[in-house]
């Protein structure tokens, strides 16, 4: 079972991500940040702040956001957003690879994900956009007891989608949508797949990452 940064780098180095080249989509980029902790790898997640006008208010995601004109590329955007959102500088982090792009269906957006490995326990300082930042063991994503299909509503459409409960508080938001798809891709690539739950690809909604 893959449980080290070195093993993740090896697995991702042997995979070829699918990259969307559509010029018509808006674009965003996120960072999947990993660290070795105790007997498992942990991934960094954010819980978005609660805002009345934000359709993704309070949801779980990776640090990241829209690619700005001044960003050299998606990777630069992911690193900039991570620094802005949680004060984590990824310039010195190990770049482990990239995941396949994910397309939003509720809005025309392409999201790219870049994977990093860091050491230690850096001080994280969420900005006004972030309610909470936390580390979650990868084992949570592979735990069938934390899986459940749930109904979501977006633009007056109801959708039943697979979810993972990352936080122990059962009232807290669950992982779903685009960030779920990235974790599904990542866990499969490292040989620790999320337990299968059927879903309709046409029903996947866009989630800010």
């Amino acid at each position: 079972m893959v449980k080290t940064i070195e093993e993740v780098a090896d697995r991702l180095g042997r995979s070829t991500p699918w990259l969307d080249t559509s010029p018509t989509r808006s674009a965003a980029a996120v960072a999947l940040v990993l660290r070795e902790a105790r007997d498992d790898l942990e991934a960094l997640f954010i819980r978005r702040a609660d805002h009345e006008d934000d359709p993704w208010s309070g949801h779980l995601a990776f640090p990241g956001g829209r690619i700005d004109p001044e960003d050299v590329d998606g990777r630069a955007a992911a690193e900039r957003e991570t620094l802005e959102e949680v004060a984590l500088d990824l310039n010195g982090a190990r770049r482990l690879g990239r995941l396949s792009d994910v397309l939003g269906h509720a809005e025309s957006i392409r999201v790219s994900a870049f994977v990093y490995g860091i050491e230690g326990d850096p001080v994280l300082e969420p900005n006004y956009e972030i309610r909470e930042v936390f580390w979650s063991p990868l084992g949570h994503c592979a735990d069938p007891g934390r899986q459940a299909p749930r109904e979501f509503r977006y633009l007056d459409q109801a959708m039943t989608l697979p979810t993972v409960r990352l936080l122990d508080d059962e009232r807290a938001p669950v992982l779903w949508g685009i960030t779920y798809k990235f974790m599904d891709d990542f866990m499969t690539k490292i040989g620790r797949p999320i337990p299968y739950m059927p879903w309709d690809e046409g029903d996947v909604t866009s989630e800010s990452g």
Side-chain angles (χ1 to χ4, degrees):
M1 183 181 293
V2 171
K3 289 189 175 183
T4 69
I5 296 296
E6 192 63 42
E7 290 172 321
V8 170
D10 177 66
R11 292 294 186 105
L12 294 184
R14 290 189 277 124
S15 69
T16 302
W18 173 80
L19 305 180
D20 176 57
T21 58
S22 169
T24 61
R25 293 182 176 273
S26 60
V30 299
L32 168 51
V33 182
L34 302 169
R35 70 175 183 180
E36 295 175 14
R38 295 180 293 277
D39 60 348
D40 199 0
L41 287 164
E42 293 182 336
L44 183 69
F45 292 91
I46 60 170
R47 180 175 177 181
R48 302 182 68 85
D50 296 312
H51 291 295
E52 208 171 289
D53 298 330
D54 181 1
W56 312 118
S57 174
H59 289 190
L60 305 185
F62 298 135
R66 303 277 180 171
I67 299 176
D68 289 343
E70 61 267 25
D71 293 318
V72 175
D73 53 22
R75 183 182 295 279
E79 294 178 2
R80 173 184 56 77
E81 287 279 351
T82 301
L83 183 61
E84 292 176 0
E85 291 184 345
V86 300
L88 179 60
D89 189 348
L90 294 175
N91 280 327
R94 182 174 179 182
R95 296 176 176 179
L96 304 178
R98 183 171 177 175
L99 303 177
S100 294
D101 290 343
V102 174
L103 307 181
H105 293 274
E107 61 176 304
S108 182
I109 188 171
R110 172 181 66 248
V111 187
S112 302
F114 302 87
V115 187
Y116 298 84
I118 67 169
E119 296 180 355
D121 188 20
V123 176
L124 303 173
E125 299 177 356
N127 70 1
Y128 69 95
E129 299 175 274
I130 310 303
R131 173 175 173 174
E132 179 183 7
V133 56
F134 64 95
W135 295 94
S136 178
L138 295 188
H140 283 182
C141 286
D143 180 359
R146 290 178 175 267
Q147 318 291 317
R150 295 198 185 188
E151 184 175 288
F152 296 90
R153 184 167 288 277
Y154 183 73
L155 298 178
D156 295 325
Q157 293 185 353
M159 299 154 287
T160 299
L161 301 173
T163 70
V164 177
R165 181 171 55 83
L166 296 181
L167 296 164
D168 290 332
D169 184 354
E170 295 192 2
R171 298 167 299 176
V174 293
L175 186 69
W176 70 287
I178 283 180
T179 309
Y180 177 102
K181 293 206 74 174
F182 278 132
M183 283 305 297
D184 191 22
D185 180 29
F186 173 71
M187 295 293 285
T188 298
K189 282 183 166 63
I190 67 169
R192 299 177 61 180
I194 295 176
Y196 173 73
M197 286 190 296
W199 62 346
D200 181 351
E201 288 288 338
D203 282 346
V204 181
T205 100
S206 169
E207 171 195 357
S208 296

